[in-house]
Amino acid sequence: AAGPYGFILCTEVLEHVADWPAAFANLDALLAPGGRLLLTAPHFYFLHEEPYDFFRPTTHAISYFAGRHHLQIVEVTRLGDAWDVLGTIASACRFEPLDRSWTSRGLAWTLWKMRDFVFRRIAAGAIRRRVRFSGPTYLSNLAILERPR
């Protein structure tokens, strides 16, 4: 019975929604004419809130569902770059020896230290200022959608 609203913030939620058509229909219904919706959703991120982690949408998916539910696109932007993706991977992974030998333990420790060194340099921007690392991947989506008047 609440609404309509002039502004809705939906951030880091849609990856946990199994029924996107219903979600976009509800968002459209809750927006006042001329109202805006700001949404974010990860494109690259490790599994979380399992078992309710369903999608990693692209900007194309967001644009498609917005159009299907008569929401006008004000802006759809890809956030982050290959460095951010690499930093996310590095922060979430660890090295563990497969046996108790000194070789396996030493190798796991060395790789962990290398990962930690690289992760800290990525986070601080020290590597990014000196080396371009590009690829067809990005970290997150940001969309601003509007319900027509």
Side-chain angles (χ1 to χ4, degrees):
Y5 299 100
F7 179 77
I8 296 175
L9 176 64
C10 179
T11 182
E12 308 301 305
V13 172
L14 287 176
E15 73 270 22
H16 302 289
V17 176
D19 189 350
W20 270 41
F24 273 84
N26 286 335
L27 290 167
D28 179 47
L30 288 169
L31 271 177
R36 288 199 170 179
L37 162 66
L38 186 147
L39 69 85
T40 65
H43 178 253
F44 180 88
Y45 201 68
F46 48 87
L47 289 173
H48 61 287
E49 301 296 330
E50 294 181 70
Y52 304 103
D53 191 358
F54 301 113
F55 300 109
R56 295 295 177 269
T58 63
T59 53
H60 307 296
I62 292 169
S63 296
Y64 172 81
F65 281 97
R68 195 165 165 209
H69 294 278
H70 312 293
L71 295 168
Q72 294 176 342
I73 297 168
V74 175
E75 180 180 345
V76 177
T77 304
R78 295 174 183 174
L79 303 174
D81 60 13
W83 283 119
D84 296 313
V85 172
L86 184 60
T88 300
I89 292 169
S91 71
C93 297
R94 61 179 179 250
F95 299 98
E96 297 175 4
L98 294 177
D99 58 50
R100 297 192 48 78
S101 71
W102 285 106
T103 302
S104 295
R105 290 164 58 181
L107 182 58
W109 182 86
T110 301
L111 290 170
W112 176 76
K113 286 295 188 182
M114 289 171 51
R115 181 212 64 99
D116 191 52
F117 175 81
V118 171
F119 174 73
R120 289 179 187 275
R121 295 315 172 279
I122 291 170
I127 297 174
R128 189 184 307 245
R129 288 190 295 270
R130 299 184 183 274
V131 178
R132 182 185 322 260
F133 181 48
S134 59
T137 189
Y138 62 99
L139 199 57
S140 189
N141 301 287
L142 174 119
I144 301 170
L145 310 174
E146 184 175 76
R147 184 169 188 213
R149 292 189 183 277

